[in-house]
Amino acid sequence: MTYTQLRPPTMADVARMAGVSHQTVSRVLGDHPNVRDETRAKVLHAIEEMGYRRNSSARALATRRTRTLGVVASNTTLYGPASTLFALEEAARAEGYVVSTVSLRELTVETLSEALAHLSQGGVEGVIALAPQRSAVEALAELRHPFPVVAVGTGSGVEIPSVNVDQFLGARLATGHLLASGHRTVWHLAGPEDWQEAVDRTDGWRATLEEAGVQPPLPLGGDWSPLSGYRAGQELAGWVGRGLTAVFVANDQMALGVLRALREAGVRTPQDVAVVGFDDIPESEFFAPPLTTVRQDFATVGKRSIALLLDLIEGRTPSGTSRVAIEPQLVVRASTFPYAPQSGAAPG
Amino acid sequence: MTYTQLRPPTMADVARMAGVSHQTVSRVLGDHPNVRDETRAKVLHAIEEMGYRRNSSARALATRRTRTLGVVASNTTLYGPASTLFALEEAARAEGYVVSTVSLRELTVETLSEALAHLSQGGVEGVIALAPQRSAVEALAELRHPFPVVAVGTGSGVEIPSVNVDQFLGARLATGHLLASGHRTVWHLAGPEDWQEAVDRTDGWRATLEEAGVQPPLPLGGDWSPLSGYRAGQELAGWVGRGLTAVFVANDQMALGVLRALREAGVRTPQDVAVVGFDDIPESEFFAPPLTTVRQDFATVGKRSIALLLDLIEGRTPSGTSRVAIEPQLVVRASTFPYAPQSGAAPG
DNA sequence: GAGGTCATTGTGAGCGCTAACAATTCATGG
DNA sequence: CCATGAATTGTTAGCGCTCACAATGACCTC
């Protein structure tokens, strides 16, 4: 078939065919109660017959509601952002909203600004910003935008309404688990410093050690990629036998690289060095060995974010006040076995 | 700040402030050439001053163009779909289009139909359907929709305009590589039978073996997950020493499970059994051992899909004729080493 | 100086819908 | 039988923009 420019039927066309006024058609479509069944049937029949679809632009213009939300994200092929995106869309759709997305290669003032402008062109009523980099958050605070914005993954120390997984707590769970398993200290491979989540995880790790009266070793740094984990793992391997028996890695992908580097260096996991990751990506369970990690509940993040944004749009919540924090969960697997008898699923 | 319902300024407001007609404001915004510089400056100043933004609904209504495209996808947290989604959005944005997405948990006639209706509510001018399941494609062909639809990942045997990576060729590359490395035969762990891509990969594998005069073993089946790969791997381990020396696995995630199962069974990769995957997910390079696999160029898929859809929307291409196929690429790593001296990057 | 051309600006009419109000119908009770 | 009000339907006026066309004025040309 070809999509010729024959103009699609309008409400008036339907009304004519059904022998009613266009307003009655509108009432039928809007499920207005005061329409006689017989009339409704006539209208529905005409709609069906003509293949009529309500013009969303005209509707949006008249109602001043587009029922569209925007999402700005980066690194959308990573498990975390992809999962959040999925949850956001599902939650928004459940509320009758369409979601338009902009996926950025990098978050800067410029790209963010363009993204918001682009979404504005799409007529969004509000925007969720998956903005894990701190620079992005600052940019967001500066930018003028005619709609409310909710930040996700920015940490709670920002001006903007935000929803976050409690990264500090997650790191505490991971580190505490290793200490409880008998390790004297826990090393740390951190994520990029300009990511708030990375900083929070490092802070949680450090705080846990300090509370246990342990002087934290100097953390290593990576960029979330398996490759950076691999490189850090090579360095870590050099410390085995000199006090290194446990590592908390800031995400699962880097942990994968660490595992490989350790293996290549002849270091056994978990017998020589225990490893904990963060995220619980689907592959983690099948790493060599299966990875103990911290699971984030992205579905809840999505739901809460949409709920908050809709509150803001409807004016139910004064913006600037809202901070939502969500608890993560430790998942114990073989990479910290046999030090971990207390909880979690056994590996398959 | 609060988003009070003070009505945002309209074009007429700007016009009044700048002392011109609303049409002149429209011209400035539309970069119409015949506007005096002085006038343009006045208008731009007024726009800036009032924080004016063009109302997209009104614009869409008047122009009959929403400049919005829709995407229906499932399994969006998997690497392949997520990468395609990213590429699609980027390509569409480059053309000035906003992208609205619907992420489905499963593709059925009902969910697809709802998704299209939802996107229609969002005013899309066309839709890309990431529809790897065959059932979905059939559903797509049946459904009435007032806009063009391009299918991605459906294989080329469908009525609908489509864009695909040549899965058959990919399987041929993988299987051929193993045969060329000296293996007598190649076993196969297939994806779900209702996925066209899985079928095409199996067909490519079978054809390559038959052309080499080898009777293909019975393929195993999985569901793309590492777990299903793990289970299949346990079974495969039982065939080692009885003719099994090489396995072509239909995706990297399942290959991960296979690797683990083999390892646990004391089977060495690649010395005892060589393994090839499909997708080249970022983690593959860091599996134990690093995985030989087939890379799909999702960026090109995205660009070509958008280009095709826009052609359809503009009426440049008669729909129903267009099939685009994209070549995949073999990436050789240690899981087929040392049988593979001929090409590809060495493991890190 | 009349007529013509071009650049620039303004005017009016819709795009297809919903909201507010007006009009009509119908059942009901006094 | 007619007033009363509820249920149902119709009428009108925008929503904020772009498009087609009209109007204005500056500048030439002969």
Side-chain angles (χ1 to χ4, degrees), chain B residues 138-228:
Chain B
E138 286 157 25
L140 217 49
E142 281 177 28
L143 257 32
R144 270 171 68 183
H145 37 251
F147 40 65
V149 173
V150 168
V152 174
T154 54
S156 50
V158 294
E159 308 286 305
I160 312 173
S162 65
V163 174
N164 293 283
V165 172
D166 189 337
Q167 308 292 340
F168 189 93
L169 173 59
R172 188 184 277 286
L173 291 174
T175 311
H177 164 66
L178 289 167
L179 290 180
S181 305
H183 295 280
R184 291 292 172 80
T185 186
V186 177
W187 289 56
H188 179 49
L189 171 53
E193 284 174 20
D194 61 332
W195 285 57
Q196 187 60 46
E197 298 179 344
V199 173
D200 290 349
R201 288 172 199 173
T202 301
D203 288 350
W205 159 77
R206 183 178 290 116
T208 307
L209 287 185
E210 284 170 354
E211 281 166 24
V214 179
Q215 170 75 18
L218 213 60
L220 306 188
D223 64 5
W224 298 134
S225 73
L227 179 59
S228 69

Side-chain angles (χ1 to χ4, degrees), chain B residues 10-11 22-23 26 52 54-55 58-59 62:
Chain B
T10 74
M11 203 171 256
H22 65 122
Q23 179 56 22
S26 176
Y52 170 74
R54 200 155 42 171
N55 179 311
R59 188 167 149 73

Side-chain angles (χ1 to χ4, degrees), chain A residues 11 22-23 26 52 54 59:
Chain A
M11 202 171 255
H22 68 256
Q23 179 56 20
S26 176
Y52 169 75
R54 202 154 42 171
R59 187 166 148 75

Side-chain angles (χ1 to χ4, degrees), chain B residues 5-136:
Chain B
Q5 306 309 2
L6 305 172
R7 200 158 296 171
T10 74
M11 203 171 256
D13 297 331
V14 173
R16 203 170 306 120
M17 177 167 176
V20 298
S21 76
H22 65 122
Q23 179 56 22
T24 297
V25 177
S26 176
R27 285 194 185 98
V28 170
L29 254 27
D31 266 336
H32 191 92
N34 291 341
V35 178
R36 222 187 329 158
D37 285 351
E38 190 192 343
T39 312
R40 183 186 311 275
K42 271 193 305 188
V43 171
L44 288 175
H45 178 258
I47 287 175
E48 175 66 20
E49 191 74 12
M50 309 180 80
Y52 170 74
R53 306 251 184 161
R54 200 155 42 171
N55 179 311
S56 61
S57 304
R59 188 167 149 73
L61 178 57
T63 57
R64 296 148 184 265
R65 301 292 312 262
T66 58
R67 297 226 136 230
T68 299
L69 303 180
V71 179
V72 186
S74 64
N75 299 290
T76 49
T77 60
L78 295 185
Y79 179 71
S83 300
T84 309
L85 229 41
F86 175 73
L88 285 171
E89 193 280 320
E90 194 169 47
R93 182 151 38 89
E95 300 286 336
Y97 282 79
V98 176
V99 172
S100 295
T101 310
V102 172
S103 301
L104 264 15
R105 283 180 186 274
E106 51 170 359
L107 284 175
T108 66
V109 190
E110 289 76 33
T111 58
L112 245 180
S113 169
E114 280 167 26
L116 291 181
H118 187 69
L119 288 174
S120 183
Q121 174 205 315
V124 298
E125 296 182 26
V127 166
I128 306 267
L130 268 57
Q133 277 116 310
R134 303 162 103 179
S135 54

